[in-house]
Amino acid sequence: GLDIARSLLAPVHEKYSDISCADFWQFAAVVAIETAGGPHITFRSGRTDATEDECTPDGRLPDATQGEDHLRAIFGRMGFDDTEIVCLSGAHTLGRCHPDRSGFDGPWTADPLKFDNSFFTELLGKTWQVKEGSEPSQFEDEETKELMMLPSDMALTKDEQFRVDVERYANDE
């Protein structure tokens, strides 16, 4: 889905091409988080764009069908510890999955345009079941069947170390 966001931002960046693409994307992220009700983030410019040779290859994001060992392997090589992996997973409070992009379908939260801790409160506060007929396999909330979780999200509740942070974030917006 990132290609869609990039294509939407490209004409605006062309108009303001005197700033780096890295700064432009970072500024767009700051604006998006604040617009969604998240905290004020001070924007600092000065990023330079990487050359094609400096970019990491595609395929470095986690496989959402995997569990905690996979999350640690993927994010660990990027320098993330368990707390940071759980915190980053909280970004699922925004947006939804689209079957044409990931194979998964649905929002994680009741208000996918609001930046808050509802990913964590929903993860812990609802009963989740495997969605019948889903391929790849995903979870749905038992009560409404309108919300979804990925297998990698559910791993955050099953792993003892991850769960401590999930509970902390659920209790502290």
Side-chain angles (χ1 to χ4, degrees):
L2 223 73
D3 289 341
I4 293 169
R6 286 183 189 144
S7 67
L8 291 170
L9 290 172
V12 181
H13 184 247
E14 286 174 20
K15 185 175 179 182
Y16 300 100
S17 60
D18 54 325
I19 66 171
S20 71
C21 202
D23 269 349
F24 184 74
W25 289 351
Q26 179 62 28
F27 182 70
V30 164
V31 171
I33 289 169
E34 287 188 33
T35 300
H40 171 75
I41 301 169
T42 301
F43 174 74
R44 292 182 178 85
S45 62
R47 293 164 192 79
T48 57
D49 293 332
T51 65
E52 192 70 33
D53 292 340
E54 295 171 312
C55 292
T56 58
D58 287 340
R60 291 184 39 128
L61 292 177
D63 176 349
T65 65
Q66 301 295 311
E68 61 273 6
D69 291 340
H70 180 70
L71 289 172
R72 286 189 177 101
I74 294 293
F75 290 117
R77 71 178 176 215
M78 297 179 201
F80 286 79
D81 64 22
D82 283 358
T83 298
E84 293 164 331
I85 292 168
V86 172
C87 183
L88 183 62
S89 297
H92 287 170
T93 202
L94 291 172
R96 60 177 291 127
C97 288
H98 299 271
D100 60 323
R101 298 177 202 157
S102 66
F104 299 102
D105 189 24
W108 287 272
T109 66
D111 191 352
L113 299 178
K114 183 177 180 188
F115 186 92
D116 60 14
N117 68 336
S118 60
F119 168 76
F120 298 111
T121 60
E122 301 284 19
L123 185 59
L124 293 178
K126 296 206 177 290
T127 301
W128 298 96
Q129 62 188 16
V130 174
K131 182 177 182 176
E132 191 174 317
S134 61
E135 187 55 43
S137 183
Q138 69 181 56
F139 292 82
E140 64 183 2
D141 70 294
E142 193 174 86
E143 183 182 348
T144 69
K145 298 181 178 20
E146 293 178 6
L147 303 180
M148 63 86 63
M149 290 288 166
L150 303 169
S152 58
D153 298 325
M154 298 306 294
L156 300 175
T157 66
K158 294 180 180 8
D159 181 89
E160 199 174 295
Q161 291 168 294
F162 282 151
R163 188 174 178 102
V164 168
D165 290 312
V166 170
E167 290 173 355
R168 184 164 53 99
Y169 292 133
N171 292 318
D172 184 7
E173 187 178 14

